[in-house]
Amino acid sequence: MTDTTVSASGVTLTEAAAAKAAALLAAEGRDDLALRIAVQPGGCSGLRYELSFDDRHLEGDLVDSYQGVSLVVDRMSAPYLGGATIDFLDTIEAQGFTIDNPNAGSSCACGDSFH
């Protein structure tokens, strides 16, 4: 795994994930968006992750900066995400952002939700 920095929110964003987010924002010509991770109800295991670019800043948001990219975690999701690591994989087997969350007691077969 690549080098990491631990945020005040308890979520770790690897250098690879920060670099990919920065590249996506640069390709869109946007410097007003933050990478937001949230936990939402849904999925076959009860909860699912939502990872998106967002221009909103809500009351209680926890915000950290990585290589010029803001990572935002809302206050309701923070307890579910403490200790989680967001990485970006670019291999022959897989490409995309991944979330490794030690708080997830179980996950579904598709990997989109957790309990």
Side-chain angles (χ1 to χ4, degrees):
M1 192 174 284
T2 59
D3 294 335
T4 59
T5 304
V6 177
S7 73
S9 65
V11 177
T12 301
L13 188 65
T14 66
E15 287 184 14
K20 183 61 176 182
L24 291 170
L25 289 170
E28 292 295 320
R30 303 287 303 259
D31 62 1
D32 61 329
L33 300 177
L35 181 63
R36 179 179 290 275
I37 182 167
V39 173
Q40 301 290 326
C44 55
S45 290
L47 297 171
R48 64 179 176 80
Y49 300 110
E50 184 176 294
L51 189 64
S52 62
F53 290 113
D54 195 356
D55 62 356
R56 299 173 300 146
H57 290 283
L58 308 173
E59 185 178 335
D61 278 350
L62 302 170
V63 182
D64 295 288
S65 182
Y66 297 90
Q67 300 177 26
V69 174
S70 293
L71 175 68
V72 179
V73 179
D74 67 86
R75 67 178 172 196
M76 298 300 284
S77 298
Y80 296 101
L81 295 168
T85 300
I86 302 171
D87 197 4
F88 184 80
L89 299 178
D90 191 4
T91 67
I92 244 177
E93 295 88 21
Q95 182 180 39
F97 288 97
T98 63
I99 301 166
D100 180 20
N101 186 350
N103 299 309
S106 63
S107 62
C108 64
C110 70
D112 288 339
S113 65
F114 68 100
H115 177 73

